[in-house]
Amino acid sequence: MARETNGRFDVGGVLLAQPFKIRRLGHFGLNVRDSAACLEFYCEGLGFRVSDPLDIAERHPMRDELKKLGDTNMYFLRHGTDHHSIVLANGTVYNAAGRGGDIPADVTVNQMTWQVASLAEVAGALDWFAAKKVRISRAGRDMPGSNWHCYPYDPEGHRNEIYYGMEQIGWTGLSKPRAMHDRGFRERPPLPQIPEYEEVELARTSGVDLGSGYRRPEKMPAKYDVDGILLPRPFKVVRHGPVRLFCHDLGKMEAFYTGIMGFARTEAISWKGHRCVFLRCNTEHHSLALYPIALRRKLGLAEHTTVMSFGVQLATYRQLRAAIGFLESRGGKFVEIPAALTPGIDYSAHVLDPAGHAIQLYYYMEQVGWNGKPRKDRGRTSASVSRWPEAVKPKSDTYTGEPYLGPWG
């Protein structure tokens, strides 16, 4: 663990309450029933691209039995240069392979992954979780993706991941060749490790074809003029998150994510007598929101999952309006969630994926500054898209926060 001084840990020369600091949501994984339908929704509908498929039955002792249960691939999807920002798996296969453990049946999250800044922080997190008696799934380095990690469970069975060092996919759209997956670890790695550049150099000098990685072609024609760029959809996803979860014991979950994981509470609200909590790991109003399980039925959302919603941010307000029409034309089913339950976001809409998870489309997230206080006297916007204006006035933090790097296409 990082050096401790008077109950604080030295993290890069800064004394913190935990031996790591989460910077952002890295990726989010879902177990689904119909992988093909969900791939069509997330790729052709929302514009994510498959970076790599991974057959979890390939080397499994129950390979033949797993193959009978359905698609045994996990699909790693990206919206930017990170190797993956969404992971999809057939839940039946995933659990039969022993990857899900003994989690509750309505936990369809297979991972919520949070980025830290160094491999030393991952090592410190492992010791911290052990000291706090937090259950760990495993530690090491996953391939594909190349991220060094450990997997702690929250009190209600949602598997988190603390990671450093995600593979980046560049202008060719190719992932790392399979021959470079030999640098994966299934246990805690010794420190220090060689840098990524040296790994690439070792592969190159040993004759690995660096252009032999996976690349999934775009299936739809680029016919929409999106602010000067031709795209297959009239919008571009530029950020993912926040994650919203229903909880059986909200107090215990809040204590875990603040006291153990290090999130800051931006605010708590009361909605029809129910306390809801909004937590952040950076300047965004919230990257994780917790709601009492009683709201699941009251809101009419799917009872087979603890996911209230998962957010995807679009580049502009105009694109948000266009995305709603585009997804409606593809048969998308929208549900209404009161705006009061998503403070920090003004205009948004929720569309269901084929597995019944609500995906929140939005363009603006309130940013929290140096004093840690949310905006006062926020106005409420109509949930009805038909009453949205053609254009909106800017706020002081419109188009701020984490920027999207690289070309949209």
Side-chain angles (χ1 to χ4, degrees):
M1 192 183 294
R3 187 172 71 252
E4 186 175 356
T5 304
N6 296 325
R8 295 275 161 165
F9 297 93
D10 183 339
V11 181
V14 177
L15 298 178
L16 300 179
Q18 290 83 18
F20 58 90
K21 174 64 175 77
I22 292 172
R23 268 59 167 190
R24 64 163 185 153
L25 175 70
H27 46 277
F28 183 67
L30 288 168
N31 291 333
V32 300
R33 297 167 183 167
D34 188 337
S35 297
C38 285
L39 275 176
E40 201 277 339
F41 172 84
Y42 285 99
C43 294
E44 275 58 66
L46 292 179
F48 287 83
R49 289 176 173 166
V50 178
S51 302
D52 271 304
L54 174 67
D55 188 351
I56 62 178
E58 185 176 5
R59 299 178 182 177
H60 199 282
M62 296 172 53
R63 180 183 183 280
D64 294 339
E65 291 85 345
L66 293 175
K67 289 289 185 182
K68 295 175 184 177
L69 298 177
D71 188 349
T72 58
N73 281 311
M74 292 182 69
Y75 295 95
F76 296 82
L77 316 181
R78 66 185 178 93
H79 71 276
T81 59
D82 273 3
H83 179 275
H84 51 282
S85 45
I86 289 183
V87 181
L88 298 176
N90 180 311
T92 302
V93 173
Y94 187 88
N95 292 324
R99 293 199 169 214
D102 55 351
I103 62 174
D106 63 353
V107 173
T108 58
V109 173
N110 68 48
Q111 57 190 290
M112 298 185 296
T113 300
W114 310 100
Q115 180 179 337
V116 297
S118 70
L119 184 49
E121 289 183 52
V122 176
L126 266 170
D127 294 333
W128 170 257
F129 295 135
K132 297 295 181 180
K133 296 181 170 52
V134 173
R135 177 186 172 196
I136 297 288
S137 169
R138 58 188 173 87
R141 190 193 195 193
D142 271 350
M143 296 289 181
S146 301
N147 43 311
W148 306 84
H149 61 83
C150 65
Y151 285 101
Y153 285 93
D154 74 17
E156 298 191 0
H158 303 96
R159 190 172 70 158
N160 289 272
E161 179 185 9
I162 300 293
Y163 86 96
Y164 153 81
M166 174 62 71
E167 173 185 332
Q168 298 296 297
I169 294 183
W171 62 271
T172 64
L174 293 167
S175 63
K176 276 186 180 177
R178 287 292 295 270
M180 293 182 66
H181 290 188
D182 62 342
R183 285 282 297 160
F185 287 78
R186 303 299 292 178
E187 57 188 19
R188 180 173 183 159
L191 302 186
Q193 289 288 324
I194 62 173
E196 184 88 0
Y197 181 88
E198 189 171 333
E199 289 185 3
V200 175
E201 188 64 15
L202 287 171
R204 187 185 68 81
T205 56
S206 65
V208 173
D209 179 1
L210 299 183
S212 62
Y214 184 85
R215 186 178 190 270
R216 182 180 188 266
E218 174 67 65
K219 293 183 178 181
M220 298 168 61
K223 64 180 184 179
Y224 294 95
D225 180 349
V226 185
D227 293 307
I229 302 294
L230 288 174
L231 297 178
R233 297 151 206 86
F235 62 90
K236 170 60 184 172
V237 172
V238 295
R239 183 176 177 271
H240 60 306
V243 176
R244 306 184 191 280
L245 298 177
F246 290 119
C247 309
H248 294 276
D249 189 332
L250 191 142
K252 186 179 292 186
M253 289 280 278
E254 181 183 0
F256 173 82
Y257 282 102
T258 55
I260 303 295
M261 298 288 283
F263 286 80
R265 190 180 77 192
T266 302
E267 64 178 305
I269 66 168
S270 179
W271 188 78
K272 296 189 176 181
H274 296 280
R275 184 173 185 269
C276 310
V277 179
F278 302 87
L279 309 175
R280 70 181 189 280
C281 60
N282 207 301
T283 60
E284 70 278 358
H285 179 278
H286 60 282
S287 39
L288 177 66
L290 305 175
Y291 303 83
I293 195 73
L295 284 184
R296 184 167 63 180
R297 180 167 293 180
K298 286 190 176 183
L299 294 172
L301 295 175
E303 297 204 21
H304 74 275
T305 180
T306 56
V307 176
M308 175 178 162
S309 70
F310 177 67
V312 291
Q313 184 174 351
L314 310 182
T316 66
Y317 174 72
R318 181 187 297 117
Q319 289 185 31
L320 170 61
R321 289 167 53 84
I324 294 168
F326 175 81
L327 292 170
E328 284 179 335
S329 72
R330 292 174 54 84
K333 181 182 178 182
F334 283 79
V335 295
E336 187 170 316
I337 294 178
L341 289 174
T342 60
I345 293 176
D346 52 9
Y347 296 92
S348 73
H350 295 79
V351 63
L352 297 180
D353 76 5
H357 302 110
I359 305 303
Q360 183 181 25
L361 310 171
Y362 69 100
Y363 87 100
Y364 162 82
M365 170 71 82
E366 177 183 323
Q367 300 298 300
V368 178
W370 63 269
N371 65 357
K373 304 293 184 182
R375 186 187 299 276
K376 294 181 179 179
D377 304 320
R378 286 186 296 252
R380 296 299 180 198
T381 58
S382 172
S384 174
V385 178
S386 63
R387 295 200 292 271
W388 288 5
E390 287 290 326
V392 296
K393 294 180 179 180
K395 298 179 175 64
S396 62
D397 50 358
T398 296
Y399 296 156
T400 61
E402 180 185 313
Y404 180 81
L405 304 179
W408 283 352

